[in-house]
Amino acid sequence: MTQKLELVADIGLLIYPGCAMAAIHGLTDLFQIAGNWTGEDKRAIRVSHWKADEAGVTCIWDSHPGTAHRLTHIIAPPSIVMPERMAPAPMAAQGLIGQHTAGATLCSVCAGAFVLAETGLMDGRRATTHWAFAHQLAQRFPKVQLAEEHMVVDEGDIVTAGGILAWADLGLTLVGRLLGPATLLATARFLLIEPPRHSQLPFAQFIPRFDHGDAAIRASQHQIHAQSGTLQGVTIWPIKRG
């Protein structure tokens, strides 16, 4: 007798204008692969894609169609558009608020935090985003308590992840929560990726501010920045010998 498949979660991936489709498809595959490593339990994660536009938020793909959705998690993926050029997404924010009220955990990756922050639900909460976007997020949403040094910040009902490829860290974090640590490790080994990393600091670089209004200091900053860039350019190239 074939054992009935148990769906342990219903995860919606939010497709908003300019989002990184690589993350949408990568997370879809990661969750499907994780279901293959649950052993005899026959557990899986239902994954669906939801397109957000002026008309609202609509499901356009479903891994397990046929039954009504009750989303347990929604993920706002990274954006391939820089934050300063990201258009507001009021329909997406409205949909996220409604799903959160119904009990869904809201998640974001990289600049997806800007979409999630539009809901106001991150106000007073710890969150992370790409280390290079943290200053912009803090300026636009000053009530968010930024912890950009972390790769993943898990606040229970709100989970945020750092840089653009941190969708893998977020995905594995959710696999561990939903399917257990053994499935998390098996999935990571199969994909040849590390378990969820803890810090973004090894990838960060110092980005000086030039908008402080002091022309003399700004001129010195430009000179130092240009010289350090030249020195870095020399050291990063490999030296060919013989």
Side-chain angles (χ1 to χ4, degrees):
M1 181 177 178
T2 303
Q3 185 176 348
K4 184 179 179 180
L5 183 68
E6 177 190 1
L7 296 177
V8 301
D10 190 346
I11 297 181
L13 305 179
L14 184 65
I15 301 175
Y16 60 87
C19 78
M21 294 303 296
I24 295 288
H25 296 299
L27 283 164
T28 301
D29 291 344
L30 186 150
F31 291 133
Q32 180 178 343
I33 289 168
N36 295 330
W37 290 97
T38 58
E40 300 294 327
D41 294 339
K42 300 296 182 184
R43 294 175 295 151
I45 295 171
R46 183 182 187 182
V47 182
S48 51
H49 300 172
W50 297 76
K51 184 178 180 180
D53 54 26
E54 295 179 356
V57 183
T58 308
C59 182
I60 60 172
W61 183 84
D62 191 347
S63 65
H64 294 79
T67 58
H69 284 280
R70 186 174 180 179
L71 295 178
T72 58
H73 302 75
I74 304 176
I75 301 174
S79 172
I80 58 173
V81 178
M82 297 297 283
E84 61 269 20
R85 295 195 296 272
M86 288 177 65
M91 296 303 294
Q94 183 178 338
L96 289 170
I97 292 171
Q99 291 294 336
H100 183 263
T101 301
T105 295
L106 303 185
C107 310
S108 68
V109 183
C110 193
F114 288 79
V115 178
L116 187 51
E118 283 190 51
T119 65
L121 296 170
M122 285 170 58
D123 290 355
R125 309 290 295 274
R126 292 173 67 251
T128 189
T129 186
H130 194 298
W131 58 265
F133 302 155
H135 178 65
Q136 291 167 283
L137 187 67
Q139 284 189 319
R140 197 178 305 180
F141 303 101
K143 294 182 180 180
V144 176
Q145 297 180 9
L146 274 173
E148 72 272 18
E149 69 275 14
H150 296 293
M151 190 68 75
V152 177
V153 173
D154 187 346
E155 289 277 285
D157 60 326
I158 294 179
V159 185
T160 52
I164 192 166
L165 292 181
W167 61 260
D169 301 273
L170 174 65
L172 289 174
T173 296
L174 295 180
V175 167
R177 177 189 288 189
L178 298 168
L179 297 173
T183 301
L184 182 161
L185 292 173
T187 304
R189 283 197 298 267
F190 181 78
L191 292 172
L192 273 69
I193 57 178
E194 295 182 9
R197 296 163 292 177
H198 297 289
S199 176
Q200 291 194 94
L201 292 181
F203 305 96
Q205 65 179 7
F206 172 64
I207 300 179
R209 291 188 59 186
F210 298 103
D211 59 352
H212 44 68
D214 191 313
I217 291 178
R218 185 165 52 245
S220 298
Q221 285 179 298
H222 283 309
Q223 184 176 3
I224 293 170
H225 196 59
Q227 290 178 346
S228 64
T230 302
L231 291 174
Q232 289 173 4
V234 171
T235 57
I236 62 174
W237 291 103
I239 299 176
K240 294 183 179 180
R241 301 184 182 277

